[in-house]
Amino acid sequence: MPPTTSLPTPRLLDRFGRVGRDLRVSVTDRCNLRCTYCMPAEGLPWLPKPEMLTDEELLRIIGILVGLGVDTVRLTGGEPLLRRSLVDVVAGIAALDPRPRIAMTSNGVGLDRLAARLAAAGLDRVNVSLDTTDPQHFARLTRRDRLEDVIAGLAAAADAGLTPVKVNAVAMRGLNDVDAPDLLQWCLDRGYELRFIEQMPLDAQHDWDRGQMVSQDELLARLGERFTLTPVPERGSAPAERFLVDGGPATVGIIASVTAPFCAACDRVRLTADGQLRNCLFARREVDLRGPLREGATDGELGRLIIDEMAAKAAGHGIDSPDFVQPDRPMSAIGG
């Protein structure tokens, strides 16, 4: 672990007073769906295996970040379930001292087979991406007929105690935006916590159009046709603004990264599957940790690279800025 002398406290502090505590780790860039807002139908060139961090390298960097104050680790992809050693990675993170909270974001395909093993290894909870329960709309959005697999994965996660089970949904105009109230009712009936996410400019095709994005206000209006929504006052650093549904206790959340950004409270840091550190989802630069690690860098030296990059974090993602440029990497390669 990095030496405790000469390091700032808190150690992942940026110049705006934000502290990095939430680590998002992409364990693979591969995915078994082809969601229209993420990647083209033919898929993307995947990272060659030698460029990806090994389990040992991944756990070493995560351990350094935990030593620097990270207390939550979220495993993402691509689709994290496609990493064959995922259960071992979870167990390795759970063995760290101090032990961070461990979560995962998945598309749910194959989760029915792994949920119990992941829970036993130390996974605390899971978010599953599900944009609609309409089979035809699901197939159009994902370009795959896997809806029943996702539903089975959600049920297995709940049975394994990976709670609260959260559902992430992106509403796409003309595709599934009309399904939003039905999806909320479906989640309420099963005890899942639904969170809608505004579509962000992170698609591989660079086709994002703000005018076509379904905004938070539109979602609230659509949901308000069937439900009474009451804002929950305290939010903290959570990305979702939550609303009580029909007086509660159930809630629905909306992550309005575009129309109501929460950058001022952001506590996130990201590690890609090939060992690049990103201090923002929309960062235009990355810091290479894999190269120095493989060249023999000490934990202290790697820790200093991390600290310096987090200190340089920008005030916000700048989507509304006229000079905003979409990151070269798509969401599938960055990790959500």
Side-chain angles (χ1 to χ4, degrees):
M1 303 302 299
T4 57
T5 57
S6 75
L7 294 181
T9 303
R11 297 177 183 176
L12 298 183
L13 180 69
D14 69 28
R15 62 188 186 276
F16 301 100
R18 299 168 299 192
V19 179
R21 301 190 186 282
D22 187 333
L23 172 63
R24 309 296 173 100
V25 180
S26 173
V27 298
T28 180
D29 63 329
R30 298 171 183 265
C31 192
N32 43 15
L33 299 182
R34 297 290 183 270
C35 297
T36 58
Y37 52 78
C38 187
M39 66 175 68
E42 65 274 16
L44 295 166
W46 308 128
L47 286 169
K49 188 172 182 180
E51 294 184 11
M52 293 182 61
L53 294 176
T54 66
D55 289 359
E56 182 181 18
E57 292 170 337
L58 193 65
L59 290 169
R60 182 178 169 195
I61 294 176
I62 293 172
I64 292 170
L65 281 151
V66 168
L68 292 172
V70 161
D71 58 23
T72 300
V73 176
R74 175 175 293 279
L75 304 175
T76 70
E79 172 46 50
L81 294 174
L82 294 182
R83 184 161 182 139
R84 294 182 179 180
S85 59
L86 182 64
V87 173
D88 294 332
V89 170
V90 170
I93 298 171
L96 294 173
D97 185 17
R99 181 201 189 280
R101 295 185 297 275
I102 310 170
M104 179 179 72
T105 296
S106 166
N107 64 28
V109 177
L111 185 57
D112 58 330
R113 299 189 300 273
L114 282 176
R117 289 178 60 200
L118 288 167
L123 187 66
D124 294 308
R125 65 177 191 81
V126 67
N127 288 31
V128 174
S129 299
L130 176 62
D131 303 316
T132 179
T133 54
D134 181 290
Q136 292 184 338
H137 292 176
F138 181 91
R140 286 179 63 194
L141 275 166
T142 66
R143 303 186 179 102
R144 297 291 187 272
D145 184 17
R146 306 300 296 269
L147 176 58
E148 292 305 316
D149 295 315
V150 179
I151 291 174
L154 279 162
D159 290 343
L162 297 174
T163 54
V165 174
K166 295 185 178 181
V167 171
N168 293 344
V170 177
M172 300 289 291
R173 193 179 308 283
L175 284 175
N176 68 325
D177 51 333
V178 297
D179 300 335
D182 290 338
L183 181 59
L184 176 53
Q185 187 62 62
W186 188 88
C187 289
L188 292 172
D189 292 343
R190 290 158 180 79
Y192 305 148
E193 295 186 16
L194 175 61
R195 306 191 310 172
F196 288 99
I197 304 172
E198 288 182 342
Q199 184 197 4
M200 294 178 282
L202 290 166
D203 59 307
Q205 309 92 296
H206 288 211
D207 287 337
W208 182 81
D209 181 348
R210 181 167 183 151
Q212 290 300 309
M213 179 196 74
V214 180
S215 70
Q216 173 177 261
D217 288 346
E218 291 177 273
L219 281 166
L220 289 174
R222 176 82 66 177
L223 296 174
E225 296 172 0
R226 190 182 305 181
F227 306 96
T228 299
L229 304 180
T230 307
V232 176
E234 294 186 7
R235 177 175 176 176
S237 62
E241 183 175 357
R242 295 188 305 138
F243 301 84
L244 293 173
V245 180
D246 293 338
T251 63
V252 63
I254 299 180
I255 300 176
S257 300
V258 177
T259 63
F262 46 90
C263 300
C266 179
D267 63 353
R268 288 157 192 80
V269 54
R270 287 176 164 79
L271 178 66
T272 66
D274 57 347
Q276 309 303 302
L277 186 83
R278 300 176 64 90
N279 62 23
C280 175
L281 184 60
F282 293 93
R284 292 289 299 165
R285 73 175 195 180
E286 302 171 331
V287 169
D288 179 29
L289 299 181
R290 182 193 64 202
L293 184 155
R294 292 182 177 178
E295 292 167 4
T298 66
D299 286 3
E301 290 168 338
L302 293 171
R304 176 53 65 183
L305 289 173
I306 294 168
I307 289 168
D308 290 347
E309 182 59 17
M310 290 303 292
K313 187 172 181 175
H317 53 49
I319 290 176
D320 287 327
S321 171
D323 58 354
F324 172 77
V325 178
Q326 181 173 335
D328 293 329
R329 289 206 198 218
M331 176 69 91
S332 60
I334 296 172

